[in-house]
Amino acid sequence: MSDLNVLLPLQQNWSCHNCGGCCREHEISISDAEKQRIEKQNWTVDHGVPGDRPLIVALGNGWRLNHQDDGACVFLDANGLCRIHAKFGEPAKPLACRLYPYAIHPAANGLTVSLRFSCPSVVSNLGTRVTAQRAELEQLCREVVPTDFRNRDLPVLAGKRSVSWEEFRVLLAFLERGLADRSIAFPQRLLQTLAWTQFLEQADEGLLSGERLPDILTILLEAARRACVEGDYGRQPPSRTGRMMFRQLVAQLLRHDTQQSVSAGLKHRLRMLSSGIRLTFGRGMVPALKDPESVRAAFGESASGPAQSVLFAAVEQFSRELPSEADELFERYFLVKIAGHHFFGRAFYDYSMLDGLRTLALMFPATIWTARLRALQSGRDRLLADDLRAALAILDHNLGYSPALQLRSSRSRIRQLAGLQQIESLCRHYGGE
Ligand code: SF4
């Protein structure tokens, strides 16, 4: 695979800052070859690994690294560093550890690289520019992608309707251009994007093919602008049903199952179920959920949970003003996910482009809702940029990875929200537009 064509996100920086979060919050699957390699490293208690349990355990038909009692990987040391990395160097670590927080997806003539914003260094844009890491990323790509990666199905726009890779490229360029248009605030860009992409679903198939596509999209974009600025697009407040379905999605995104919590058994599952139901109905107090370890380490939060209890009504009545950093954060998030094809197809539960885009759009109000909750729990009545960053890190952990979001009911919820015109209402309502 000598002619790799790897598309990297231009806006994003990343270096690992050793918070140890991913070593506590992820199950690390390993191959037979990696299992043998680790076994040959001859780990003993003298090297600091636990002596009371196997270092590698079965996972389905394969294997995974075991965890310590506090949920940390058996190879994580007290300073948040990987013992395999320290003793044998980075290449000796399992591929899954070396890949995170990157996500590599096959495209028409190459590969795209996206990032998982569950890593606090990604969400805060810390470290080296991703474009300066091309050599390492190309090496990772060689290890990750199958040799036939170019034989991809055509991207599905909506339902059973697919587009050619050339049409897809034009659509993606319009999406990126609209979301990066700094002449207007980000919430308006998102609303306009939802509006013109909604027209795509209704447009005659012949209109969206061939050389006319850029002209058609320009017309749709102008119509979307008018609908958002002069018209009533998204101006109706979200309905009761829309809010319930929205909070149900937030509950699924907030849920973090780690090896430690799963081993807590039925009690944990019942608590999560009860929290999910309370979040859906949205009455009384918001259930207290502890932040993941990485978010606590990067953004601060007591390990025992939120400092103050919060009423659902207080989250709704919170100031609609967003911190000045919000536009940069959301613009970067959406552009990284879109350029990295991290919102549809195989990278995203086989969702169509439009269903994936709508799910991604809901990350905007979901992040603001969660950020408001964090601010209130800390006794503040204004959002800080770190409230948004922490909220996005918490929610993005599950996006594209939680099996709950793969269920037919989750997909149909997105379609219902779209059909009821609730996605634009939620974005406008929480975005302060
Ligand atoms: S979550 Fe990010 S910063 Fe923290 S250890 Fe993992 S890769 Fe490094």
Side-chain angles (χ1 to χ4, degrees):
M1 209 188 292
S2 57
D3 56 342
L4 275 183
N5 174 21
V6 182
L7 186 71
L8 301 178
L10 303 175
Q11 312 77 5
Q12 187 64 46
N13 300 340
W14 177 74
S15 303
C16 177
H17 290 78
N18 299 320
C19 74
C22 54
C23 315
R24 295 173 189 276
E25 292 153 23
H26 294 264
E27 199 166 63
I28 301 299
S29 311
I30 57 172
S31 65
D32 287 344
E34 287 173 329
K35 176 174 181 281
Q36 284 166 19
R37 191 172 73 216
I38 293 170
E39 284 167 349
K40 279 188 194 145
Q41 292 168 353
N42 289 322
W43 292 96
T44 70
V45 281
D46 295 339
H47 300 113
V49 296
D52 61 347
R53 68 197 70 197
L55 300 179
I56 296 169
V57 290
L59 174 68
N61 294 327
W63 309 99
R64 70 168 171 84
L65 299 183
N66 205 355
H67 288 83
Q68 304 177 41
D69 286 338
D70 66 355
C73 169
V74 282
F75 290 106
L76 190 69
D77 73 14
N79 300 316
L81 299 173
C82 171
R83 289 192 170 90
I84 300 180
H85 189 147
K87 196 158 188 282
F88 297 101
E90 222 248 340
K93 291 200 294 189
L95 180 60
C97 305
R98 287 186 285 131
L99 187 60
Y100 184 88
Y102 288 112
I104 296 168
H105 305 124
N109 297 312
L111 299 162
T112 62
V113 173
S114 175
L115 288 102
R116 298 182 65 173
F117 279 60
S118 49
C119 165
S121 297
V122 173
V123 87
S124 296
N125 208 21
L126 300 178
T128 312
R129 285 205 85 74
V130 170
T131 46
Q133 304 178 42
R134 177 168 288 282
E136 298 92 311
L137 278 163
E138 287 188 352
Q139 179 52 38
L140 266 177
C141 288
R142 286 189 174 84
E143 294 182 54
V144 169
V145 292
T147 49
D148 65 344
F149 76 89
R150 283 188 184 80
N151 301 333
R152 292 218 55 204
D153 301 333
L154 292 177
V156 174
L157 178 66
K160 293 189 187 317
R161 186 162 155 187
S162 55
V163 289
S164 71
W165 280 105
E166 181 50 29
E167 289 156 358
F168 171 80
R169 195 187 58 71
V170 175
L171 284 166
L172 223 61
F174 267 77
L175 274 178
E176 290 173 333
R177 198 184 312 160
L179 289 165
D181 177 5
R182 294 187 184 163
S183 66
I184 51 176
F186 185 83
Q188 289 176 45
R189 298 179 224 167
L190 184 57
L191 280 169
Q192 291 182 15
T193 301
L194 285 168
W196 74 259
T197 52
Q198 179 184 302
F199 294 142
L200 294 178
E201 209 161 30
Q202 300 146 11
D204 187 71
E205 199 159 337
L207 274 181
L208 299 180
S209 56
E211 289 174 7
R212 283 187 303 171
L213 183 57
D215 296 335
I216 300 292
L217 294 184
T218 305
I219 293 167
L220 292 186
L221 201 51
E222 190 44 45
R225 260 191 210 120
R226 281 201 302 276
C228 292
V229 177
E230 299 156 22
D232 58 0
Y233 187 76
R235 287 194 198 278
Q236 290 292 326
S239 67
R240 190 161 173 266
T241 309
R243 287 173 198 263
M244 277 179 69
M245 286 196 279
F246 167 67
R247 283 193 306 268
Q248 201 176 42
L249 171 68
V250 173
Q252 285 177 337
L253 291 168
L254 280 174
R255 180 173 174 158
H256 275 224
D257 284 323
T258 61
Q259 200 56 41
Q260 190 188 26
S261 62
V262 167
S263 52
L266 185 63
K267 200 168 144 205
H268 166 76
R269 288 204 296 279
L270 288 175
R271 197 166 62 80
M272 285 293 111
L273 181 64
S274 154
S275 296
I277 292 170
R278 283 167 60 198
L279 273 160
T280 302
F281 285 101
R283 288 201 207 102
M285 308 302 276
V286 182
L289 294 167
K290 276 198 259 175
D291 283 346
E293 185 68 27
S294 55
V295 171
R296 279 208 292 273
F299 301 106
E301 171 69 277
S302 89
S304 56
Q308 291 191 23
S309 301
V310 173
L311 283 165
F312 278 101
V315 180
E316 295 306 322
Q317 287 154 10
F318 198 87
S319 161
R320 297 177 79 189
E321 199 177 318
L322 295 179
S324 58
E325 297 89 345
D327 277 17
E328 182 280 330
L329 175 64
F330 286 116
E331 178 187 310
R332 181 162 48 82
Y333 178 71
F334 277 77
L335 292 181
V336 167
K337 296 286 176 178
I338 286 171
H341 302 187
H342 207 168
F343 70 104
F344 73 98
R346 287 192 226 175
F348 203 82
Y349 311 122
D350 278 323
Y351 273 29
S352 69
M353 283 176 68
L354 289 188
D355 282 349
L357 186 66
R358 287 163 178 154
T359 309
L360 201 56
L362 283 166
M363 286 295 280
F364 176 71
T367 300
I368 294 168
W369 191 94
T370 308
R372 288 181 180 185
L373 176 62
R374 283 182 58 82
L376 287 164
Q377 285 170 338
S378 306
R380 281 181 280 103
D381 62 1
R382 284 279 181 281
L383 284 186
L384 303 177
D386 270 357
D387 292 321
L388 289 173
R389 293 186 190 116
L392 187 54
I394 293 168
L395 300 179
D396 192 62
H397 176 91
N398 276 333
L399 196 74
Y401 299 93
S402 158
L405 295 170
Q406 192 165 18
L407 298 173
R408 191 188 289 257
S409 55
S410 297
R411 194 179 298 233
S412 95
R413 180 176 55 219
I414 293 298
R415 300 223 177 111
Q416 282 182 57
L417 282 167
L420 295 167
Q421 283 105 45
Q422 291 299 298
I423 299 179
E424 54 269 35
S425 291
L426 288 159
C427 289
R428 201 185 269 277
H429 177 74
Y430 287 102
E433 278 294 306

